Amino acid sequence: MFGVSLALVVAFAAFSNAFNPDPCDPLNHNELNEPHRSTGYHTAYPEKPLCDLHMQAGWYRFTSLAGGELPTSCPKRLSCGTVVPIWMNGAHPSKADGVVMRKACANFETGGPQVDHCCEHSLSIGVKNCGNFYVYYLRATPSCPMAYCSDAYPMLKTPPTMSNPIIASNNKSFHFTCHIDWPTHDPEQRFEVIWTFDGKEDPNVMPQVLHDPQRTAKLDGRHIKGHLNTNVAVK
């Protein structure tokens, strides 16, 4: 018991040194701006999964396309652009709490009665509420492919609406549209639209990110080349 308590004291002392000066200052933290870290993103072959094995220990903020917060519930394996997603087991602090320690959990989904569900491996991290955002003291993962998740993409209550092919007035081109029904507006809000063909992504057709207040994405007909007689959809 004494050994565990001493370890926590030493770890907290290390964090105390790490957040002096204030990590909320933009000069004192790094930004993680990778949209595939979203809990709503599914990692699919042949893309290379994200890995934080070589991450330098320090303060980080998830920004814009990456989302704003570490999720506090367990993401599924193969989400967040990686194979083994890492989430925060604990609530976010209030601004008055200052820097607090939390346990970050890696979900291997190995199962078994002796395994801590969704937390087969854990790391100690720090987190601070900066008012309009959070910063996290993160460290490198022990192996690959493991990566920290972000959780800020809005959860849609209704599926996106796909149009039929829209023919241009000169009859020489056409396009599809995808409309997202989301009533609220937030300057930090982003929607990632990924076009699929018979359920598969085409690496030549890049995802589109809609910045608030945009709600409609467009797929030009020239991207259909090579996908005739396939079902065009979004995810």
Side-chain angles (χ1 to χ4, degrees):
M1 188 70 175
F2 175 77
V4 173
S5 299
L6 180 60
L8 289 175
V9 170
V10 171
F12 192 79
F15 282 127
S16 297
N17 291 330
F19 61 76
N20 188 15
D22 184 8
C24 292
D25 189 316
L27 297 177
N28 298 326
H29 64 252
N30 299 304
E31 294 187 358
L32 290 175
N33 185 1
E34 295 169 295
H36 288 180
R37 287 185 183 270
S38 168
T39 54
Y41 184 84
H42 179 76
T43 313
Y45 180 83
E47 70 179 293
K48 183 179 180 180
L50 296 173
C51 182
D52 290 330
L53 177 64
H54 300 294
M55 172 181 280
Q56 292 187 344
W59 287 99
Y60 292 86
R61 175 188 175 186
F62 296 100
T63 58
S64 61
L65 305 185
E69 303 176 10
L70 273 170
T72 55
S73 59
C74 180
K76 293 181 179 180
R77 192 169 182 269
L78 291 176
S79 59
C80 307
T82 189
V83 176
V84 180
I86 300 178
W87 58 288
M88 188 173 76
N89 191 346
H92 280 86
S94 68
K95 192 172 182 180
D97 290 331
V99 174
V100 299
M101 291 182 64
R102 290 290 186 264
K103 180 168 74 170
C105 289
N107 179 21
F108 284 85
E109 288 189 2
T110 55
Q114 305 302 319
V115 174
D116 187 355
H117 177 63
C118 281
C119 198
E120 290 87 349
H121 180 82
S122 63
L123 300 163
S124 293
I125 64 171
V127 56
K128 183 176 182 181
N129 185 330
C130 296
N132 296 324
F133 60 91
Y134 295 96
V135 290
Y136 304 87
Y137 188 85
L138 306 178
R139 58 190 67 211
T141 58
S143 61
C144 283
M146 301 170 63
Y148 294 96
C149 289
S150 62
D151 191 9
Y153 281 143
M155 298 299 292
L156 299 180
K157 297 180 180 179
T158 57
T161 304
M162 279 279 299
S163 73
N164 291 320
I166 300 172
I167 311 298
S169 58
N170 59 8
N171 293 321
K172 293 183 178 180
S173 64
F174 68 94
H175 66 273
F176 294 89
T177 63
C178 168
H179 180 74
I180 295 175
D181 183 16
W182 188 261
T184 61
H185 293 277
D186 183 337
E188 295 297 321
Q189 207 162 251
R190 302 289 187 271
F191 298 91
E192 184 180 38
V193 178
I194 301 173
W195 300 94
T196 63
F197 306 89
D198 280 346
K200 298 179 181 180
E201 295 181 45
D202 182 342
N204 296 314
V205 182
M206 298 299 294
Q208 293 174 254
V209 177
L210 303 180
H211 298 244
D212 202 67
Q214 292 177 313
R215 293 291 183 270
T216 302
K218 179 180 177 181
L219 176 67
D220 195 283
R222 69 178 185 274
H223 294 304
I224 304 300
K225 184 178 180 180
H227 295 291
L228 295 178
N229 300 317
T230 62
N231 181 40
V232 181
V234 293
K235 70 175 183 178

